[in-house]
Amino acid sequence: MKICGIVAEYNPFHNGHKYHIEKTKELYGATHIAVVMSGNFTQRGDAAIFDKFKRAETALKYGADLVIELPVAYALGSAEQFASGAVSLLNSLGCVEMISFGSECGDVSLLEETAGAVIYAQQHDDFFAYMKAGDSYPVALQKTIEKYYEEDIIDALTSPNNTLAVEYLKALSEYGSSIKPVTIKRVGTQHDSGKTSGYYASAAQIRRSIIAGEDISAFVPELPDSFDTDYADIRNLETAILAKLRTMTPEELEKAPNVLMGLENRIYKAARVSTNLAELYMLIKTKRYTMSRIRRIIMSEFIGIKKSDLKSPPPYVHILGMNGKGKEILSAAECSLPVDTSLRALSEMGTKAAHSAALEARAGDLYGLAFRKKRVCGLDYTSKPVIMN
């Protein structure tokens, strides 16, 4: 057995994801694939277009063997928080030898150098000076690195997959993990691109096409049943999100992750005059905050995620699906955390587990309102895992 971990959102699962899994097996000899996947909300501050069990099922059909849920607080966290939560889960299994991630550069050595540069820059006085002057975190980091590093390091940080890869490497170091990083060079279109290339399109473009009613069959290995009607759209949550924000005080808003330096006051004021999400985001937006960060914060406020929810690693391993090889992974695991397919069972594994499970269930209940045909509450506690042979 050679078990490899992958961190993903599969929003939705497309040909590029299938290629990543296949090349990981081909180039690095992985025999088993364990995926840590975002649940019903994603790192761009959006509702996943298909629910987590449907996405897990597709992943299992096309190369994954075990799919584990990344708790919602980490799924909606910064790139650093997202990576830290996912790597913590893979590390806790005690049997994962590698972690494979996509990157624009395809060079682990360069990414490791870049990770070192980021750690250095984050502690440098220039970085804090740029932040104090009003630059956003990514801009302040880029400016600092540009002052002290060569072009290859600078260029590596301009690509989104490289940037997330750097966070995986930092997390591996943070946990003192023995998991070996490997990378697959991204093919086809760029992240969030509106263009297509042969059988490849970005997940963002595929989502846009689904909502527009366009044909996506060339870019995905399989079309989910009823994909044309049974998908989630954040616009269906718009009134609910605005209603929640309008009932909150600045003191309550300040408790959400990554709300700093008076941002709660901007959110409070914007929520009282905005009539849609686009207007809300634009009224909150400043030079200091990226749009993706604002979307994540607003979704965290809506769900009720607090800063305290990210102070410790995930408290359990919640399995969304597995096949025969997935069962072999679990047999080989020496997991330091409770493992189960049942969120209800995991909720009984201590105070932290109970809180995390309740937060996940609440997120699922709210996610059910993002569909045209609304879903009932409690599905996180009653849905069955995806089990394949």
Side-chain angles (χ1 to χ4, degrees):
M1 292 177 65
K2 197 168 187 179
I3 302 169
C4 183
I6 290 175
V7 182
E9 292 189 319
Y10 294 154
N11 183 34
F13 190 94
H14 57 62
N15 291 338
H17 298 134
K18 182 171 178 283
Y19 173 86
H20 176 211
I21 293 174
E22 291 172 347
K23 295 302 283 188
T24 295
K25 293 178 178 179
E26 175 189 333
L27 297 178
Y28 301 110
T31 60
H32 296 65
I33 302 291
V35 175
V36 176
M37 188 186 77
S38 299
N40 290 328
F41 292 93
T42 65
Q43 212 257 337
R44 62 182 284 111
D46 202 352
I49 198 153
F50 301 128
D51 71 56
K52 55 193 175 186
F53 293 103
K54 185 173 290 187
R55 285 157 38 235
E57 180 180 6
T58 308
L60 290 168
K61 286 182 179 179
Y62 294 99
D65 300 306
L66 179 70
V67 181
I68 296 166
E69 182 173 22
L70 179 64
V72 65
Y74 292 91
L76 282 170
S78 65
E80 186 174 26
Q81 293 159 341
F82 177 93
S84 179
V87 169
S88 170
L89 287 172
L90 289 174
N91 200 51
S92 73
L93 292 176
C95 62
V96 176
E97 295 182 41
M98 302 180 292
I99 179 172
S100 174
F101 41 77
S103 66
E104 286 84 2
C105 69
D107 184 343
V108 167
S109 295
L110 175 58
L111 292 170
E112 288 175 329
E113 287 184 51
T114 306
V118 169
I119 293 170
Y120 172 81
Q122 287 174 324
Q123 300 169 350
H124 200 282
D125 289 344
D126 287 345
F127 172 74
F128 294 108
Y130 291 132
M131 290 285 286
K132 189 175 181 179
D135 284 331
S136 66
Y137 170 87
V139 171
L141 187 67
Q142 190 77 20
K143 284 183 177 180
T144 306
I145 287 176
E146 285 174 354
K147 287 185 70 172
Y148 299 102
Y149 289 91
E150 300 297 325
E151 286 297 321
D152 56 345
I153 301 293
I154 297 168
D155 291 344
L157 275 179
T158 61
S159 302
N161 288 96
N162 286 351
T163 301
L164 193 51
V166 164
E167 295 301 337
Y168 295 138
L169 293 168
K170 287 170 57 187
L172 290 172
S173 176
E174 172 192 351
Y175 289 110
S177 177
S178 62
I179 296 174
K180 177 186 175 183
V182 297
T183 191
I184 303 297
K185 187 175 176 62
R186 186 182 177 96
V187 298
T189 60
Q190 295 300 306
H191 181 81
D192 275 356
S193 171
K195 298 179 181 179
T196 61
S197 176
Y199 294 105
Y200 298 103
S202 70
Q205 177 56 34
I206 294 172
R207 292 192 298 271
R208 287 191 287 266
S209 294
I210 290 172
I211 291 171
E214 298 169 354
D215 182 19
I216 62 168
S217 59
F219 311 117
V220 296
E222 179 179 293
L223 290 171
D225 294 337
S226 304
F227 85 97
D228 55 339
T229 57
D230 188 29
Y231 62 83
D233 187 339
I234 194 172
R235 291 174 298 182
N236 294 328
L237 292 174
E238 192 166 58
T239 300
I241 293 170
L242 291 172
K244 175 65 181 293
L245 293 176
R246 288 185 177 195
T247 67
M248 298 178 72
T249 66
E251 291 75 22
E252 291 170 329
L253 292 165
E254 191 275 333
K255 294 178 181 178
N258 305 304
V259 175
L260 303 168
M261 305 179 76
L263 183 63
E264 67 274 13
N265 295 313
R266 292 187 66 87
I267 298 172
Y268 178 79
K269 293 175 182 177
R272 302 186 75 77
V273 297
S274 299
T275 58
N276 58 65
L277 287 178
E279 185 180 6
L280 177 77
Y281 298 150
M282 290 306 300
L283 287 174
I284 298 170
K285 180 78 177 73
T286 69
K287 177 184 175 184
R288 187 185 299 277
Y289 301 103
T290 63
M291 190 61 78
S292 57
R293 179 177 175 180
I294 290 169
R295 288 196 301 263
R296 288 194 297 270
I297 287 171
I298 294 304
M299 194 58 71
S300 294
E301 301 279 17
F302 175 55
I303 294 169
I305 300 168
K306 304 290 191 292
K307 291 181 174 74
S308 56
D309 294 321
L310 290 162
K311 285 188 175 179
S312 57
Y316 52 66
V317 176
H318 180 213
I319 298 168
L320 297 177
M322 64 182 135
N323 57 21
K325 283 189 173 183
K327 294 175 184 177
E328 292 174 359
I329 294 174
L330 294 178
S331 294
E334 297 178 359
C335 198
S336 57
L337 297 174
V339 182
D340 210 299
T341 57
S342 167
L343 188 65
R344 188 175 297 282
L346 290 168
S347 72
E348 299 172 357
M349 299 296 178
T351 303
K352 290 183 179 179
H355 176 76
S356 181
L359 188 62
E360 206 67 57
R362 185 194 308 161
D365 292 344
L366 295 172
Y367 176 73
L369 298 174
F371 293 84
R372 294 179 190 175
K373 184 179 180 181
K374 310 305 181 191
R375 299 183 176 187
V376 300
C377 289
L379 294 180
D380 273 66
Y381 289 133
T382 60
S383 296
K384 301 296 183 184
V386 181
I387 306 296
M388 294 185 174
N389 295 326

